[in-house]
C-alpha cells in the first residue's frame, strides 16, 4: 500500500471479508453453537464453523490420519478426537499441577503429553465426551486453555533460565501479566465447559475493549527473551520483548514487531519474517504498549485473505514507521531508542545450575517434547514420563517447560538435589545421553494428528539425527552444536526458518533444505535445495561439513559459514521477493 496515511476503514472491503470474520462476529462472544455441538453424541465431529470457533477455547478437532483407510474400509467416520492446548504463561507449573495433569492426560487423552515450542503442553486424542471433564480438571488446578489458539493473543513465553539475570523473576512474571491483560473478556469458556450460567439469547455478550466482536485478524504471539538466552526465538513472534537491565535492576524491554513464519509452498507472497526492533519501552509502560500494538493490528490487519493477515504483513504493507507512529499515538508516549543487548545462546542448558537466590534448577532433555517412556533413537531406555511423574510426586520442585520443547525442574533446595537426580537416573534420564545436535533439535508434531502435515517430523527427526551424527562424526564434528529443526509443512511450528539446518516438509519423505541461520536466532536461513530426500540431505550435509571443516574461520559456526560463503552474506528479504512476485503476475 503506498497510501501515506491509511485509515482502518480503508483496509478491508466489508463485502470481501473471509468466512472466519463472520464466524467471529456471529459467535456471541465465542459461544456459537459449541455447547450443543459438543453434546451431540451421534458424531465425534463438529461442523466447520464450530471447528474454527473451538480453537479460541484452546482446542482443535483432529483425526488420527494413520487410521483413515481402516475407518473408511469399515465404513466408519474418521477417528475424530480433539487436541487441547493449555495456556501456561512462561510454561510454569507446580509439582502438584504436573502430577494432576499427567493423571488427567492418562484418563482423558492419549496419555502422552506433548511439550510445545511455545512453552506449554498439549493433550491429543480427547474424545468429545471427555472434553468437559478435561476442561473441568484444568479449572480445578487453576489452569485453562482459554485463547491457547484462535485469532487472539496466544500463550505468552518468557525466558526460562534464571541463572544470569538477577531480575529474572520480575521479568518472568510479565508473561502472566501480559497473558491476563490480553485475555478475551467473554464468559463463553465457563458457559461451554464448566456449566457456567448461560447468556440469554437476547442479551449482548460481554464488552471486550481489545477484541470487541471482531477479535484479531489472525493468531497473535508474544515472547519475552532475557539475554543472553534467546531460547524462545524472540524474533519469530508478532511481538518480541527483549528484557533490558542495568546492573541488578530491570529497566524495560526492546520491542520487536512483525516476526512470523507461516508460508505456503510456491506462494512467494507468503514468507517468513524476522521481527523488527522499533524501540525501547520502560517496564511500567510495557503492558500498554503491547495492548496498543495488538489494537493497531486489530484495526489495520488484512481480514480478507487469511494468508496475508498476520502482523508481519500489516507491518510490511503499512511500513514500520507508520505502524510505530500509530502505536505511539495511541499509547500517548514515544518509544525510546532501543538499548544494546546480546544473545549468545538458544539451546537449553542441561543439568544443575544455581540462581541468584541459591535455589537450584535442572534442565532435562525431552526429545521433541514427547513425554513418553521407552527406547529412544539414541539407544537408551529413557523413561521421561515415569521420571517426571515420580520427581513431581516428591513435591520438591516445580516444573517449567522451555521453548525448545524441554523441561526444567525449578526451585530445588540444595538438600533435595540428590534425591531428584537419583529418580531421574533410575528411569534412564541422563542429560549426557544425547549429542549436542540432538539436544538442540526441534520437530513439530506433524503426522498422524496434524491435518496440515505433508511429511513426518517428530516421528522421523530422531532417526535422521542419528544419521546426521554419523556424518558429523566422519568430519570430526561430533561435539559441534548445530540447530537442526524439522517441520511437516511450511507453517513453521518447529521454527525451521531460524535453524542452521532446517527441513520443511513438502511431501512424504521430501523436504526443502534451508541453511544459513545463525546459532543465536538473529537471522533467517534460506532455501539451499528446494527438495531433498534423506539420501540427498545426508549427501549434501556430508559435502558441506567437509568444506566447512576445511574453510571455517576459527570458531565460526556452521550456519554462519554457509551464510558467508554460499549466500554471500546476503540476508533473506521476503518482502522484496513478494514484491517481485506481485510485479511478475
Ligand atoms: Fe503451529 C497450525 C502445532 C507452534 C505456525 N500448529 C498448527 C496446528 C494447530 C495445525 C492446524 O491448524 O490444524 C498444529 C497442531 C498439530 C497437532 O497435531 O498438535 C500446530 N504449532 C504446533 C505446535 C504444537 C508444534 C510443536 O510440535 O510444538 C506448537 C504449539 C505452540 C503453542 O503452544 O502455542 C506450534 N506454530 C508454532 C510456531 C512456533 C512459535 O510460535 O514459536 C509457529 C511459527 C511462528 C508463527 O506463528 O509464525 C507456528 N501453526 C503455525 C501456522 C502458520 C501461521 C501463519 O502465520 O501462517 C499454522 C497454520 C495456521 O495458522 O493456519 C499452525
Ligand atoms: Fe502441522 Fe505444519 Fe505445524 Fe508441523 S509445521 S505441526 S505439520 S502445521
Amino acid at each position: 500500500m503506498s497510501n501515506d496515511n491509511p485509515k482502518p476503514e480503508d483496509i478491508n472491503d466489508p463485502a470481501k471479508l473471509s468466512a472466519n470474520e463472520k464466524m467471529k462476529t456471529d459467535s456471541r462472544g465465542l459461544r456459537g453453537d459449541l455447547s450443543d455441538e459438543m453434546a451431540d453424541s451421534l458424531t465425534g465431529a463438529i461442523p466447520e464453523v464450530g471447528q474454527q470457533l473451538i480453537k479460541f477455547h484452546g482446542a482443535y478437532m483432529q483425526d488420527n490420519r494413520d487410521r483413515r483407510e481402516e475407518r473408511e474400509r469399515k465404513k466408519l467416520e474418521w477417528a475424530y478426537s480433539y487436541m487441547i492446548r493449555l495456556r501456561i504463561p512462561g510454561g510454569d507449573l507446580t509439582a502438584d499441577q504436573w502430577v494432576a495433569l499427567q493423571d488427567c492426560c492418562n484418563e482423558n487423552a492419549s496419555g502422552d503429553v506433548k511439550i510445545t515450542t511455545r512453552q506449554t503442553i498439549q493433550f491429543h486424542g480427547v474424545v468429545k465426551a471427555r472434553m468437559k471433564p478435561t476442561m473441568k480438571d484444568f479449572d480445578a488446578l487453576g489452569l485453562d486453555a482459554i485463547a491457547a489458539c484462535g485469532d487472539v493473543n496466544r500463550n505468552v513465553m518468557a525466558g526460562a533460565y534464571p541463572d544470569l539475570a538477577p531480575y529474572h523473576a520480575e521479568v518472568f512474571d510479565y508473561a502472566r501479566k501480559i497473558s491476563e491483560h490480553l485475555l478475551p473478556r467473554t464468559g463463553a469458556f465457563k458457559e461451554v465447559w464448566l456449566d457456567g450460567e448461560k447468556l440469554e439469547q437476547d442479551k449482548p455478550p460481554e464488552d471486550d475493549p481489545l477484541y470487541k466482536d471482531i477479535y484479531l485478524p489472525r493468531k497473535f504471539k508474544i515472547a519475552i527473551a532475557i539475554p543472553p538466552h534467546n531460547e524462545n526465538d524472540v524474533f519469530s513472534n508478532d511481538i518480541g520483548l527483549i528484557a533490558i537491565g542495568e546492573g541488578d535492576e530491570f529497566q524495560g524491554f526492546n520491542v520487536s514487531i512483525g516476526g512470523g513464519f507461516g508460508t505456503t509452498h510456491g506462494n512467494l507472497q507468503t514468507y517468513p519474517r524476522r521481527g523488527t526492533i522499533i524501540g525501547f519501552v520502560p517496564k511500567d509502560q510495557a503492558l500498554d504498549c503491547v495492548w496498543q500494538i495488538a489494537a493497531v493490528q486489530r484495526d489495520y490487519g488484512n481480514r480478507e485473505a487469511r494468508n496475508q493477515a498476520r502482523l508481519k504483513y500489516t507491518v510490511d504493507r503499512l511500513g514500520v514507521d507508520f505502524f510505530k507512529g500509530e502505536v505511539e499515538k495511541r499509547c500517548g508516549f514515544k518509544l525510546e531508542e532501543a538499548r544494546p543487548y546480546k544473545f549468545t545462546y538458544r539451546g537449553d542448558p542441561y543439568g544443575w545450575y544455581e540462581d541468584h537466590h541459591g535455589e537450584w534448577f535442572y534442565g532435562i532433555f525431552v526429545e521433541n517434547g514427547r513425554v513418553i517412556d521407552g527406547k529412544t533413537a539414541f539407544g537408551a531406555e529413557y523413561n521421561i514420563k515415569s521420571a517426571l511423574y515420580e520427581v513431581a510426586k516428591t513435591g520438591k520442585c516445580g516444573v517449567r517447560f522451555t521453548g525448545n520443547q524441554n523441561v526444567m525442574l525449578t526451585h530445588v533446595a540444595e538438600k533435595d538435589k540428590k534425591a531428584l537426580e537419583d529418580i531421574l537416573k533410575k528411569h534412564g534420564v541422563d542429560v549426557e545421553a544425547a549429542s549436542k545436535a540432538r539436544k538442540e533439535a526441534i520437530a513439530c508434531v506433524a503426522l498422524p494428528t496434524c491435518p496440515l502435515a505433508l511429511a513426518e517430523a517428530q516421528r522421523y527427526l530422531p532417526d535422521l539425527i542419528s544419521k546426521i551424527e554419523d556424518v558429523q562424526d566422519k568430519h570430526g564434528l561430533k561435539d559441534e552444536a548445530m540447530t537442526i529443526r524439522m517441520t511437516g509443512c511450511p507453517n513453521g511450528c518447529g521454527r525451521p526458518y531460524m535453524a542452521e539446518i532446517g527441513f520443511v516438509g513438502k511431501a512424504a519423505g521430501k523436504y526443502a533444505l534451508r541453511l544459513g541461520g545463525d546459532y543465536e536466532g538473529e537471522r533467517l536461513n534460506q532455501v539451499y535445495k528446494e527438495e531433498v530426500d534423506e539420501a540427498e540431505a545426508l549427501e549434501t550435509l556430508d559435502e558441506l561439513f567437509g568444506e566447512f571443516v576445511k574453510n571455517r574461520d576459527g570458531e565460526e559456526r556452521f550456519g554462519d559459514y554457509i551464510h558467508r560463503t554460499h549466500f554471500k552474506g546476503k540476508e533473506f528479504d521476503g518482502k522484496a521477493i513478494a514484491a517481485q512476485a506481485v510485479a511478475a503476475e
Side-chain angles (χ1 to χ4, degrees):
M1 176 186 290
S2 57
N3 188 346
D4 286 341
N5 209 2
K7 303 213 164 27
E9 55 273 25
D10 300 335
I11 305 296
N12 295 297
D13 177 347
K16 293 187 183 159
L17 297 182
S18 76
N20 284 58
E21 294 305 317
K22 185 166 159 47
M23 176 273 292
K24 289 180 253 184
T25 44
D26 285 356
S27 72
R28 300 178 66 246
L30 305 180
R31 287 168 177 84
D33 297 323
L34 274 182
S35 291
D36 293 341
E37 289 165 2
M38 292 314 290
D40 177 0
S41 57
L42 287 178
T43 166
I46 54 174
E48 173 60 28
V49 170
Q51 287 174 39
Q52 295 305 319
L53 189 56
I54 202 170
K55 295 180 185 178
F56 291 75
H57 296 240
Y60 286 79
M61 189 182 101
Q62 301 186 322
D63 75 289
N64 185 333
R65 292 176 59 181
D66 286 348
R67 296 187 57 200
R68 278 185 188 176
E69 260 184 50
E70 169 216 326
R71 303 280 299 181
E72 280 168 11
R73 244 187 294 116
K74 291 181 180 161
K75 304 219 177 331
L76 294 170
E77 74 172 14
W78 286 349
Y80 292 115
S81 64
Y82 296 80
M83 175 268 275
I84 312 183
R85 189 179 287 162
L86 279 111
R87 179 179 69 93
I88 310 177
D92 216 29
L93 293 178
T94 64
D96 288 348
Q97 283 174 324
W98 174 259
V99 170
L101 284 172
Q102 182 63 77
D103 288 341
C104 173
C105 186
N106 288 339
E107 198 179 320
N108 298 317
S110 70
D112 297 341
V113 172
K114 160 85 180 179
I115 304 172
T116 76
T117 49
R118 292 196 67 77
Q119 258 188 321
T120 183
I121 52 172
Q122 292 181 176
F123 290 3
H124 286 96
V126 186
V127 295
K128 220 182 210 185
R130 303 310 299 166
M131 286 292 284
K132 270 173 99 166
T134 307
M135 295 289 200
K136 283 181 180 171
D137 279 0
F138 295 166
D139 185 58
L141 295 167
L143 296 168
D144 59 59
I146 302 174
C149 320
D151 295 346
V152 280
N153 177 51
R154 306 279 186 98
N155 197 47
V156 181
M157 301 169 86
Y161 303 102
D163 55 340
L164 289 164
Y167 41 79
H168 181 276
E170 184 184 356
V171 177
F172 192 76
D173 196 38
Y174 271 83
R176 181 192 57 78
K177 286 188 192 166
I178 293 170
S179 180
E180 284 169 11
H181 198 51
L182 270 61
L183 215 52
R185 301 291 167 219
T186 174
F189 308 105
K190 283 208 167 96
E191 190 176 314
V192 175
W193 308 110
L194 308 177
D195 300 324
E197 201 182 322
K198 283 214 173 333
L199 179 73
E200 287 168 34
Q201 272 301 334
D202 55 347
K203 291 260 167 62
E206 303 78 357
D207 217 23
D208 194 322
L210 175 58
Y211 297 117
K212 305 187 174 174
D213 64 346
I214 54 175
Y215 299 86
L216 297 180
R218 202 66 165 84
K219 56 174 64 168
F220 196 82
K221 299 181 173 179
I222 302 177
I224 299 170
I226 310 180
H229 290 290
N230 182 24
E231 80 275 15
N232 296 332
D233 270 313
V234 74
F235 293 116
S236 64
N237 287 265
D238 296 271
I239 302 180
L241 298 171
I242 302 169
I244 305 289
E246 244 176 60
D248 286 358
E249 294 294 315
F250 170 49
Q251 303 292 313
F253 299 102
N254 281 349
V255 181
S256 152
I257 57 167
F261 283 168
T263 70
T264 308
H265 285 308
N267 180 349
L268 295 176
Q269 290 179 52
T270 64
Y271 51 88
R273 187 179 188 284
R274 176 204 186 274
T276 310
I277 295 183
I278 56 170
F280 170 87
V281 65
K283 61 181 180 184
D284 296 341
Q285 293 173 327
L287 288 180
D288 234 14
C289 176
V290 161
W291 199 98
Q292 294 298 358
I293 292 171
V296 175
Q297 161 68 350
R298 175 197 65 205
D299 296 342
Y300 284 91
N302 186 327
R303 290 175 184 266
E304 296 175 16
R306 283 183 70 74
N307 71 3
Q308 292 295 308
R310 288 293 291 272
L311 177 65
K312 61 182 174 181
Y313 300 117
T314 313
V315 168
D316 276 348
R317 188 165 32 85
L318 299 176
V320 173
D321 291 343
F322 175 85
F323 196 99
K324 178 181 170 184
E326 189 63 24
V327 170
E328 290 179 334
K329 196 165 79 188
R330 293 178 186 212
C331 283
F333 57 81
K334 286 213 174 303
L335 294 173
E336 298 171 22
E337 198 179 316
R339 309 228 177 139
Y341 70 93
K342 190 164 172 52
F343 291 133
T344 57
Y345 207 65
R346 209 154 38 127
D348 288 338
Y350 295 100
W352 289 114
Y353 54 97
E354 192 178 10
D355 79 354
H356 282 76
H357 314 286
E359 285 185 319
W360 289 86
F361 291 75
Y362 192 84
I364 302 175
F365 172 55
V366 184
E367 191 155 39
N368 306 141
R370 303 178 77 186
V371 184
I372 51 180
D373 285 345
K375 206 157 165 55
T376 59
F378 49 99
E381 195 75 28
Y382 196 84
N383 296 327
I384 184 70
K385 180 174 170 179
S386 303
L388 266 189
Y389 191 76
E390 201 176 324
V391 154
K393 271 272 189 194
T394 66
K396 294 181 193 306
C397 61
V399 170
R400 186 179 292 167
F401 311 114
T402 79
N404 285 316
Q405 304 171 308
N406 291 313
V407 74
M408 197 169 47
L409 306 182
T410 59
H411 308 294
V412 180
E414 169 83 46
K415 66 175 175 45
D416 296 328
K417 280 168 63 186
K418 173 139 188 348
L420 298 187
E421 214 174 323
D422 286 348
I423 296 173
L424 295 173
K425 281 217 179 96
K426 185 178 84 183
H427 293 286
V429 176
D430 172 4
V431 290
E432 301 303 329
S435 70
K436 278 190 187 160
R438 187 183 297 280
K439 282 194 288 200
E440 302 218 355
I442 293 181
C444 73
V445 180
L447 292 161
T449 51
C450 179
L452 308 178
L454 305 169
E456 294 281 353
Q458 72 179 20
R459 295 198 298 197
Y460 169 51
L461 185 63
D463 287 332
L464 182 64
I465 297 259
S466 301
K467 294 175 185 167
I468 294 176
E469 282 168 349
D470 290 342
V471 183
Q472 278 187 306
D473 221 0
K474 177 175 160 194
H475 296 285
L477 293 170
K478 192 166 177 234
D479 289 327
E480 186 85 11
M482 293 179 189
T483 44
I484 305 175
R485 296 175 173 182
M486 173 177 278
T487 55
C489 86
N491 282 318
C493 300
R495 300 191 288 270
Y497 302 100
M498 273 193 164
E500 291 178 279
I501 304 173
F503 295 96
V504 177
K506 292 192 99 168
K510 302 274 170 57
Y511 298 84
L513 177 61
R514 303 184 65 100
L515 300 175
D518 62 333
Y519 189 68
E520 297 79 17
E522 292 271 1
R523 183 179 66 230
L524 292 168
N525 58 19
Q526 306 182 49
V527 174
Y528 185 79
K529 286 196 171 167
E530 283 291 351
E531 192 169 295
V532 294
D533 58 14
E534 181 179 291
E536 194 177 351
L538 294 171
E539 212 175 285
T540 308
L541 291 177
D542 191 8
E543 262 168 44
L544 293 175
F545 288 169
E547 63 168 82
F548 168 59
V549 167
K550 254 198 245 143
N551 303 328
R552 77 193 288 190
D553 190 359
E555 294 296 297
E556 189 176 31
R557 299 258 185 201
F558 180 65
D560 292 337
Y561 168 78
I562 296 292
H563 181 68
R564 175 173 65 82
T565 56
H566 289 267
F567 296 120
K568 310 284 174 242
K570 211 164 157 248
E571 301 280 330
F572 173 80
D573 184 350
K575 185 183 170 189
I577 297 170
Q580 279 167 16
V582 173
E585 261 172 21

